[in-house]
Amino acid sequence: SFLPQSGDQFSGLDIASEALKPERFDNLEVGAKWEPLDGLLATAALYQLDRLNTRAVDPLDPTRTVLTGEQRSRGLELGLERNITHRWQISAGYSWQDAEIRRTTTAAPAGRKVPLVPRHSLSLWTRYDATRALGAGLGLIARSKSYASLSNAVTLPSYARVDGALYYKLGRGVEAQLNVENILGADYFPTAHSDNNIAPGAPRTARLTLRASF
């Protein structure tokens, strides 16, 4: 697949400019699903994604965009889902990913790691319905360390965050949901725009949603 560097602004394309060649994606993936026990679903996927003529923020000047040449991402994703009882559900996911620059450019040499890509990611979520109307959920999200930019000079530390939720059915087709993210108030840094522009994660946050279906 291909993605124009100008997005949907095709009038900005210029065939004489190397920087405006479209980004190219070559993706290979294989996956499997297995139900070893009744109610237990396991999934697995292996993938390799090659990206050519990719762009990134210049680690020396966040206002500039530079070409990184070619990137390759390889990864493994595993998932488990299980209904322990008709009221209790649990799901877990793990992913391993390695992403690096494959071709040397003025922005980065070959072998340098792609920023904001943690090597390990883990998620765990469980929900229990106490009654037909009331349910509660609790989950964990964890990420290993990653680099803030293409320079690979600054490392974002690993982190773990605990989230929760309450569900209540107000009537037929109407449900209220309260989500609380980062219950324990962890300090973490999930993303960055450059080596000196690092964004902290949100503090304890609550969000109330009301849904109606017809």
Side-chain angles (χ1 to χ4, degrees):
S1 61
F2 297 87
L3 178 67
Q5 300 285 8
S6 62
D8 60 355
Q9 302 300 317
F10 295 109
S11 61
L13 291 174
D14 180 2
I15 60 175
S17 174
E18 178 75 19
L20 291 177
K21 284 187 176 181
E23 189 172 1
R24 172 177 168 173
F25 302 82
D26 295 327
N27 192 34
L28 300 174
E29 183 174 354
V30 60
K33 293 183 178 181
W34 182 37
E35 191 175 13
L37 300 173
D38 186 30
L40 175 62
L41 178 63
T43 60
L46 282 170
Y47 65 89
Q48 174 177 292
L49 173 62
D50 288 325
R51 300 175 61 180
L52 286 74
N53 208 32
T54 56
R55 297 175 299 166
V57 175
D58 188 341
L60 301 178
D61 183 358
T63 64
R64 294 182 62 245
T65 299
V66 294
L67 291 180
T68 60
E70 180 181 345
Q71 298 178 9
R72 168 169 288 179
S73 300
R74 288 177 170 174
L76 166 68
E77 295 181 351
L78 301 174
L80 284 175
E81 296 181 12
R82 178 70 192 270
N83 289 328
I84 307 299
T85 68
H86 69 284
R87 292 187 175 184
W88 186 15
Q89 304 170 344
I90 189 170
S91 62
Y94 168 78
S95 65
W96 174 91
Q97 186 171 210
D98 181 45
E100 66 177 14
I101 305 298
R102 296 264 296 168
R103 189 172 66 201
T104 297
T105 66
T106 56
R112 189 166 287 182
K113 298 300 181 182
V114 176
L116 306 179
V117 180
R119 182 68 61 92
H120 306 280
S121 300
L122 175 69
S123 63
L124 179 65
W125 183 259
T126 183
R127 172 173 172 167
Y128 182 78
D129 293 323
T131 67
R132 290 186 177 182
L134 179 63
L138 189 67
L140 172 71
I141 296 175
R143 302 285 187 269
S144 64
K145 63 183 181 180
S146 61
Y147 291 109
S149 78
L150 281 172
S151 72
N152 287 186
V154 176
T155 301
L156 302 179
S158 58
Y159 69 90
R161 191 187 80 197
V162 177
D163 298 341
L166 288 174
Y167 313 91
Y168 189 73
K169 292 182 179 179
L170 300 174
R172 178 174 295 181
V174 181
E175 183 180 53
Q177 180 175 329
L178 175 65
N179 289 85
V180 182
E181 297 180 355
N182 197 10
I183 293 176
L184 301 181
D187 295 324
Y188 65 103
F189 303 92
T191 188
H193 301 286
S194 64
D195 287 343
N196 57 8
N197 188 358
I198 298 173
R204 188 180 297 109
T205 305
R207 183 175 65 255
L208 180 63
T209 305
L210 184 65
R211 289 192 299 270
S213 58
F214 303 93

